[in-house]
Amino acid sequence: MSLFGLHRRLRAAIVGHLALFEMSSSIPNRRYANALRRLGFDNPRATRFFDEHVTADAVHENVAAIDLAGGLVRQDPALVAEVLFGARALVEIDARWAAHVLAAWDEDRSSLAAAATIREAMA
Ligand SMILES: [Fe+2]
């Protein structure tokens, strides 16, 4: 996302990245809020952000898909491949992140780089 945002030539890619993020974030936000409640943080101060984004991102989904990505591609149809590239990049990065976290859990270790670095320094 940062790479796309830092280079104007990649503007269509960041549009695709953001559009897909907004189109797919309502359900994860619901899960984050429910997970907090399940872990004993049933307090609006902990869950409000995620609960609010369940509804907000349902609206953002349409804005991102139709107005943002759709609007850009209607203005410049040549950018469609780059919009899709940005969306695909989000899917790939998310998949890599999830695989990393799940592997760490399977191995009963932290998925955080800082924890690994500290452990290596102490060995
Ligand atoms: Fe959103």
Side-chain angles (χ1 to χ4, degrees):
M1 182 181 241
S2 297
L3 172 71
F4 297 156
L6 288 171
H7 301 278
R8 182 170 175 77
R9 66 183 167 79
L10 298 174
R11 68 195 182 286
I14 199 167
V15 165
H17 189 285
L18 176 61
L20 184 59
F21 186 87
E22 292 292 339
M23 293 164 64
S24 60
S25 57
S26 283
I27 291 172
N29 277 305
R30 168 69 69 206
R31 290 178 177 162
Y32 299 148
N34 288 343
L36 284 168
R37 282 186 274 274
R38 197 170 51 246
L39 293 170
F41 298 99
D42 192 7
N43 179 325
R45 291 176 58 197
T47 58
R48 184 179 304 126
F49 175 88
F50 300 111
D51 284 334
E52 188 168 316
H53 280 78
V54 173
T55 305
D57 284 355
V59 175
H60 296 166
E61 173 181 347
N62 291 302
V63 172
I66 296 167
D67 297 335
L68 181 66
L72 180 63
V73 170
R74 281 191 296 279
Q75 285 180 359
D76 189 348
L79 293 175
V80 69
E82 195 170 333
V83 169
L84 294 175
F85 172 75
R88 183 70 182 101
L90 172 63
V91 172
E92 178 65 24
I93 296 298
D94 268 5
R96 290 183 187 192
W97 177 81
H100 171 73
V101 170
L102 292 174
W105 287 353
D106 281 346
E107 297 167 13
D108 197 26
R109 62 176 171 80
S110 173
S111 62
L112 302 177
T117 303
I118 291 169
R119 192 172 44 248
E120 289 167 14
M122 296 177 70

